Structures are given as structure tokens and as C-alpha cells.
Amino acid sequence: MSTGFTSTVDTPIGPFTAVVATDGAVLASGWTASTDDLLPQVATALRPSTLTPRRDLGAVTRAVRDYHAGALDAIADVPVRQRSGAFVEHAWTALRAVPAGKPVSYADYALLAGRPSAVRAAAAACARNAATLFVPCHRVIRSGGAIGNFRWGVDVKRWLLGHEDRG
């Protein structure tokens, strides 16, 4: 039986909830007040069987607050734990290197992930990302600059991109 901790923080674009492992690594996160929206995205091997609510998750809560207040690099050093196939895990790591305010196209993201012809696989990696914000899938947009889809809604993605562009 594994235990995870969860906390929800108010942000300018709605409640943000994180689920973390006992060592503080983010397992799932997003703009929702419900862990039911997050847990299905966590790999079965990592999914906690018990969740304990906490008022504050330490470095994770600080990073969420600081990021939304304008410290865009606050999320960079927060540990994340996700599991999938080798390409998807590598793609998530590559995504963490995309700087705030410098969104990339899905084609550029596939190139960063080491497989330029794997645009659909790169898009699928974004869609399967459980640790939203800490693995900044919102920084991937369509060729030509269109926003594209986002699990938490196009308005949230637009806000995040604008927030980072101003930062």
C-alpha cells in the first residue's frame, strides 16, 4: 500500500491540485479541485492507494504560488515522477527544458525529444502528461501559432502562455 499527499491552492485561473509521493515528487497536478481528475493519469505502478490531504506540500506548494505570482522558473527544480515507455519518458524530460515564454510547435517538440518524425507520438506524450505545470505541456502549440488542445481548457492554456510571455 502506498501513500500520497494532496493539496489544493487557489490560483488566478482556478484551483490547482497536486498529488505527491512521500518523498515530495509530483505524481499528478492540474487546475482542478478534485484528485479524481488527476489519479487516472498516474501510471498504475505509481498510483497511491491512500491519499492524505495536507494544507501545504512544502516546495510544491511554494512553486505553484511563486509561478502564478510571476516567478516562472519556480517549477524547474520540483521533482516529478511519471512512468511510461522510453520515448514518452524522454519526451517529458525534454519538455522540462522548454523555457517559459518560448513555446514550441509539436514538430519542434518531436525534434527536441529526438524523433523528428514522431510528431503524433510527441503530441501523445503531452496528452498523457500527469504532472501538468511541472512538465509544461502548455508550452507546446500547433504550427502556425494556434493554441491547440489542453486538458485543463484552452482558456487556461492561453492564460499560461500570456503569463509566461509577460514574464
Side-chain angles (χ1 to χ4, degrees), residues 114-139:
R115 289 185 42 200
S117 63
V119 176
R120 286 182 188 214
C126 281
R128 294 179 55 205
N129 173 30
T132 310
L133 183 61
F134 302 100
V135 177
C137 53
H138 64 275
R139 294 179 185 161

Side-chain angles (χ1 to χ4, degrees), residues 40-66:
Q41 295 297 318
V42 179
T44 305
L46 297 177
R47 193 175 301 145
S49 53
T50 304
L51 286 179
T52 302
R54 289 202 167 156
R55 195 166 160 239
D56 188 291
L57 298 173
V60 172
T61 300
R62 269 190 312 282
V64 171
R65 287 188 176 131
D66 290 351

Side-chain angles (χ1 to χ4, degrees), residues 70-98:
L72 304 177
D73 61 347
I75 60 173
D77 294 326
V78 173
V80 170
R81 187 170 301 121
Q82 298 191 87
R83 294 292 175 264
S84 188
F87 173 74
V88 173
E89 287 186 20
H90 177 70
W92 288 331
T93 300
L95 193 48
R96 292 196 85 184
V98 174

Side-chain angles (χ1 to χ4, degrees), residues 138-156:
H138 64 275
R139 294 179 185 161
V140 182
I141 59 176
R142 291 183 177 162
S143 296
I147 296 273
N149 295 326
F150 189 56
R151 174 176 296 127
W152 308 110
V154 173
D155 290 340
V156 171

